[in-house]
Amino acid sequence: MAKGLIDLDRVGMTYQAASGPVEALAGISASIGAGEFVSLVGPSGCGKSTLLRIVAGLRPATTGTITVAGRAVTQPIPDIGMVFQAPILLKWRSILENVLLPAELAGKDPRSLRSRAEQLLEMAGLGGFGTKLPRELSGGMQQRAALCRALLLDPPLLLMDEPFGALDAMTRDDMALELLRIWGEKDVAREARKTVLFVTHSIPEAVFLSDRVIVMSARPGRIAADLRIDLPRPRTVELRATEAFGKLNLEIFRALTGKTSMGTAF
Amino acid sequence: MTKFGAMANRYWPTLVLFAFLLASWQAAVTFGNIREYLLPAPLSVWNALWHGDTAWWPHLWTTTFEIIGAFLMAAVVGVALGVAIAWSPVLANALVPFLVFVNTLPKVAIAPLFLIWMGYGIFPNMLMGALIGFFPVVINTAVGLSQVEPDMLDLGRVFNAPKWKIFVKIRIPNALPYILSALKITATAAVVGAIVGEFVASQRGLGYVIVTTQSSMNTSVAFAALVWISVVGLLLYGAVVLLAHLWAPWAEGVD
């Protein structure tokens, strides 16, 4: 098996529910290379968020092995940044202090990272907002701050769990572009970019962002398809209107549903 | 509009109603031939407050001291127990049933025992106030400490943050609005406890004043004592509200 930054080898996960054991994931094998942007799409409850947490070492897999950067994952791994569906900023801290939180949690001196935090906020378009409280920012801005927090310690791996799922459609499309810009689509060499594992419900979002889309089936979650997205980077708004973009959407839709036509789903 | 103007705009109905009730009361007593020992007129109460034979200061001081002591005891013990419960499941299992039992006891019924155990004095009355007021603090502290988003805790685990750090940086600030909200209840309970304690055993205090007026039928003095009690109660309550405003401004409008 190819050695990537993340290697999943027949990963399965079964949990005990009140009604008995539930198989959430079965036989997940995949290899994700350094610098790759990979999206996980699948129906609700297919275990894609669980898989993300297994990669982070936050949940144990029942079977199989997970290797990140050559080391088996048995407990939470520190070299990751996480972004969740909700920004989960601490309400009592300013935006800047929220961005610095990982430093404090990891036992680093937040003062030494202050200028980096300010740079990140600047880059995310939150330059003047460092001293504001989270509630003074819009949902989209809060989620940008959460992204800055995830990037503070410069982790090689970014795990994102439906980060734009709670935003309105327009903000969502904006955030996708922002994310690619911050990720360094234009100005960072491919190998030097962060590896991103991105969970989403949205097929167009997955296609727009990713180098690769892994389609998962309903419970137990299995890999139904693993598609390379060979669209040119940097991605632009116009790309959404191209035939190639549409075809990839359709292909993923088919893999997801087993249907040959999009019907009325779009 | 100025701040004063805004306040006047908001509170004039309260003031009007209050003035109306006082005036009706005075009129009812003056023109309705109600006997003074049954219901003293507001003016008699006013006289008892400022021109009567009662030297209010020692009583006021004693009761205030008891109330503040009761409040602080309830706050410190309540928060400590809440932290213990949230910190360790073993402690939670040991403490919670016991605390629920203590809470279901009618504390007033214990007051005579306090007299037997501790005699007359300020401390047993403080303890009574603390006993009545500590429970909501325990519960709210424990709830506030545990109502943290699981994703936030995952973030802590990713960075391998020690448990105490999660408490200090995330759980305790998160619990602060909950604790302050419980302290508003405690502020009222501390007043009740101190007065109950004084009813049962005391030689000084506003509760003591009320008990002594029973035999002398000096009702206006009892009413005057009530005025003082509500002044102390309101000031303490106001102090907690102010504290909440200063310490947890992000939680404004939560409760």
Side-chain angles (χ1 to χ4, degrees):
Chain A
M1 195 173 168
K3 279 276 169 225
L5 182 78
I6 307 172
D7 282 303
L8 304 173
D9 186 15
R10 285 160 294 166
V11 172
M13 203 294 204
T14 304
Y15 65 89
Q16 298 298 323
S19 54
V22 176
E23 196 178 19
L25 294 167
I28 305 274
S29 292
S31 179
I32 293 165
E36 250 189 317
F37 196 124
V38 179
S39 286
L40 292 172
V41 291
S44 294
C46 73
K48 50 196 192 299
S49 294
T50 306
L51 184 59
L52 202 69
R53 284 169 172 74
I54 288 175
V55 170
L58 290 166
R59 306 279 180 277
T62 321
T63 57
T65 53
I66 306 102
T67 319
V68 173
R71 286 187 313 194
V73 176
T74 50
Q75 55 182 21
I77 51 174
D79 298 338
I80 56 172
M82 289 202 77
V83 183
F84 306 93
Q85 184 169 7
I88 54 160
L89 301 169
L90 298 174
K91 296 187 279 280
W92 53 91
R93 285 179 168 230
S94 71
I95 294 298
L96 183 66
E97 288 168 337
N98 264 293
V99 172
L100 285 167
L101 181 72
E104 295 171 46
L105 292 177
K108 298 192 160 101
D109 182 7
R111 276 169 303 182
S112 64
L113 285 154
R114 203 185 151 92
S115 63
R116 170 161 172 82
E118 278 164 350
Q119 270 170 19
L120 284 167
L121 284 173
E122 194 71 45
M123 183 173 67
L126 294 172
F129 294 91
T131 55
K132 300 264 191 254
L133 287 176
R135 64 168 178 178
E136 297 175 273
L137 271 62
S138 70
M141 291 164 95
Q142 290 190 22
Q143 200 57 292
R144 287 176 204 214
L147 180 60
C148 292
R149 179 181 61 192
L151 293 171
L152 181 75
L153 300 179
D154 204 15
L157 174 58
L158 206 51
L159 301 178
M160 306 182 84
D161 187 7
E162 295 187 48
F164 309 145
L167 303 175
D168 64 84
M170 274 168 71
T171 311
R172 196 171 177 152
D173 290 349
D174 273 353
M175 290 290 287
L177 277 168
E178 281 288 283
L179 176 60
L180 290 179
R181 186 177 62 78
I182 292 168
W183 180 54
E185 188 183 52
K186 287 178 201 160
D187 44 16
V188 179
R190 215 195 126 85
E191 303 70 38
R193 288 179 202 148
K194 294 187 189 309
T195 308
V196 184
L197 200 51
F198 188 96
V199 166
T200 178
H201 271 123
S202 161
I203 297 172
E205 186 172 79
V207 173
F208 186 76
L209 290 168
S210 313
D211 297 315
R212 199 171 136 198
V213 175
I214 295 177
V215 181
M216 289 175 67
S217 66
R219 189 171 289 159
R222 297 172 192 277
I223 294 182
D226 189 339
L227 295 126
R228 191 145 288 286
I229 308 296
D230 280 319
L231 296 171
R233 289 191 185 276
R235 306 271 162 93
T236 58
V237 180
E238 290 75 24
L239 181 74
R240 291 182 189 273
T242 61
E243 198 187 336
F245 187 80
K247 273 188 174 159
L248 283 162
N249 274 281
L250 182 62
E251 205 175 329
I252 291 169
F253 177 80
R254 282 179 176 154
L256 204 52
T257 58
K259 289 181 195 153
T260 49
S261 143
M262 277 216 181
T264 53
F266 276 77
Chain B
M1 203 186 295
T2 63
K3 203 168 178 185
F4 179 79
M7 272 182 64
N9 216 27
R10 181 170 163 193
Y11 289 111
W12 71 261
T14 317
L15 290 172
V16 167
L17 180 64
F18 190 66
F20 173 75
L21 288 175
L22 275 182
S24 319
W25 176 6
Q26 181 72 45
V29 175
T30 313
F31 304 112
N33 253 339
I34 297 174
R35 270 162 292 184
E36 184 80 354
Y37 72 86
L38 286 178
L39 184 66
L43 283 175
S44 328
V45 176
W46 181 260
N47 284 331
L49 277 173
W50 303 113
H51 313 298
D53 304 328
T54 317
W56 289 108
W57 187 243
H59 299 300
L60 188 58
W61 168 241
T62 302
T63 303
T64 305
F65 189 66
E66 285 167 1
I67 289 170
I68 290 173
F71 178 82
L72 293 178
M73 255 197 267
V76 171
V77 173
V79 168
L81 286 171
V83 170
I85 286 169
W87 182 270
S88 140
V90 176
L91 283 175
N93 289 340
L95 286 170
V96 171
F98 180 73
L99 290 172
V100 170
F101 162 71
V102 170
N103 189 48
T104 53
L105 279 179
K107 258 68 70 180
V108 181
I110 312 174
L113 288 173
F114 277 22
L115 174 64
I116 298 172
W117 294 335
M118 289 172 274
Y120 284 58
I122 286 179
F123 183 71
N125 298 344
M126 252 182 211
L127 205 59
M128 180 52 59
L131 203 58
I132 296 180
F134 86 105
F135 195 72
V137 185
V138 181
I139 296 302
N140 273 27
T141 305
V143 168
L145 289 171
S146 42
Q147 295 282 314
V148 174
E149 281 164 278
D151 286 344
M152 183 44 89
L153 298 178
D154 275 350
L155 213 56
R157 290 176 59 208
V158 164
F159 297 110
N160 205 11
K163 193 173 173 181
W164 66 265
K165 207 176 246 183
I166 298 294
F167 258 77
V168 169
K169 295 199 181 288
I170 296 168
R171 290 189 189 268
I172 290 176
N174 189 67
L176 205 53
Y178 294 80
I179 296 171
L180 289 162
S181 172
L183 287 180
K184 288 179 196 167
I185 303 169
T186 304
T188 327
V191 177
V192 175
I195 299 298
V196 163
E198 288 178 358
F199 277 2
V200 174
S202 63
Q203 291 156 318
R204 204 181 288 157
L206 296 168
Y208 169 80
V209 170
I210 292 175
V211 171
T212 53
T213 58
Q214 272 184 337
S215 51
S216 63
M217 297 272 195
N218 202 349
T219 323
S220 55
V221 171
F223 269 82
L226 278 178
V227 171
W228 282 125
I229 292 168
S230 57
V231 165
V232 176
L234 277 173
L235 285 178
L236 183 59
Y237 189 86
V240 178
V241 171
L242 189 67
L243 203 65
H245 185 74
L246 294 173
W247 268 8
W250 69 88
E252 217 86 304
V254 165
D255 51 13

